[in-house]
Amino acid sequence: ETFFSKPETWECMKDILEKVSKMEKKPFKTERIPRKHQIKVELTLEEVHNHKEKKLRLFLSGIKTPIYITIHCDTILNDNTIYLNNYLIDNTNYIDLTINLILKKSKNYRVLRLLNKWDIFYDINITWYEYVTGKTLLLTYLDGKEIEINIPEYYNIELPIIIENKGLCGKGDLFVIVKIETPKNLIEFKEIFGKLNALV
């Protein structure tokens, strides 16, 4: 009672009420989800060749909960872009999602696409001794199976060994490029020459 009976108290309250009434009233804003989204997905040659399904968990800008999508890896053989238009992410919101498919660089294989052909290239290094005597080796292919590669004696290294219909998903051929490793020094050359003399 003593506090509110003082005139200065009401003057102070009056100033506070005037300041509050003059404050700008901002409307309440709801967070808007961005409409268009674009991502990149890398695929390995093994995933494409074996027709794998890739399950994606996406965290997109402006969307709090993750989105789960399954894509077929061999889609890249026909089109390297997947469009998901008007994709429903919850009960009320739709987005346009563009997925760009990219082939990951392989450690052992190279790919050359020409129209609908997907040729695979594989490099094999052989020594001078193997070049003269010939060589047979087993190549573990993209499907996990082994392919027997026979390199004849004195094989012309300018011409690859071609295995038909062994390109990516059978669309194209497998080209085995044979390269000869030159001796690194005189000692290595003498060792190879000695082995060849022993054969003769």
Side-chain angles (χ1 to χ4, degrees):
E1 290 178 1
T2 304
F3 176 77
F4 282 104
S5 63
K6 294 180 180 180
E8 58 266 23
T9 300
W10 293 106
E11 287 295 325
C12 182
M13 292 294 291
K14 183 182 176 183
D15 291 341
I16 293 173
L17 291 171
E18 284 181 357
K19 287 180 181 178
V20 171
S21 63
K22 291 178 181 178
M23 287 178 64
E24 184 181 355
K25 295 181 180 180
K26 296 181 179 179
F28 179 74
K29 290 185 178 179
T30 57
E31 190 176 353
R32 188 178 179 186
I33 295 176
R35 173 70 181 182
K36 295 184 180 295
H37 296 266
Q38 187 169 352
I39 63 166
K40 293 179 181 179
V41 177
E42 288 189 335
L43 307 175
T44 65
L45 291 177
E46 288 80 5
E47 288 173 333
V48 175
H49 187 77
N50 295 297
H51 308 282
K52 295 287 187 180
E53 287 186 347
K54 200 175 184 75
K55 299 182 184 298
L56 305 177
R57 185 173 67 164
L58 307 177
F59 293 91
L60 302 177
S61 175
I63 302 175
K64 294 180 180 179
T65 57
I67 296 174
Y68 297 89
I69 294 174
T70 300
I71 62 172
H72 297 278
C73 296
D74 55 4
T75 302
I76 197 172
L77 296 172
N78 302 314
D79 197 346
N80 61 352
T81 306
I82 298 174
Y83 299 99
L84 298 177
N85 295 325
N86 294 320
Y87 185 81
L88 181 64
I89 59 172
D90 52 37
N91 293 331
T92 55
N93 292 297
Y94 293 83
I95 62 170
D96 292 336
L97 179 60
T98 302
I99 303 174
N100 295 317
L101 304 177
I102 301 170
L103 267 181
K104 204 173 182 179
K105 189 174 181 182
S106 173
K107 182 180 178 182
N108 300 316
Y109 298 96
R110 291 174 283 121
V111 181
L112 177 64
R113 181 185 183 184
L114 185 61
L115 298 178
N116 292 326
K117 286 192 67 179
W118 293 75
D119 293 326
I120 299 286
F121 291 81
Y122 182 81
D123 295 328
I124 291 178
N125 294 328
I126 62 174
T127 64
W128 273 100
Y129 179 79
E130 292 168 335
Y131 167 67
V132 174
T133 59
K135 183 177 177 66
T136 300
L137 56 87
L138 293 175
L139 165 65
T140 302
Y141 196 52
L142 297 170
D143 54 7
K145 297 178 181 178
E146 291 183 333
I147 300 175
E148 188 176 273
I149 306 293
N150 293 307
I151 303 172
E153 300 174 4
Y154 301 102
Y155 183 77
N156 187 347
I157 60 172
E158 293 181 0
L159 299 176
I161 298 171
I162 302 174
I163 304 175
E164 294 182 350
N165 302 319
K166 276 292 183 180
L168 193 62
C169 294
K171 296 178 178 290
D173 303 319
L174 171 63
F175 293 80
V176 180
I177 311 297
V178 182
K179 298 178 181 179
I180 299 176
E181 294 178 345
T182 56
K184 297 176 182 177
N185 49 51
L186 184 60
I187 295 174
E188 192 173 312
F189 176 78
K190 286 182 178 179
E191 289 176 356
I192 295 171
F193 190 73
K195 289 180 181 179
L196 294 175
N197 276 338
L199 289 176
V200 176

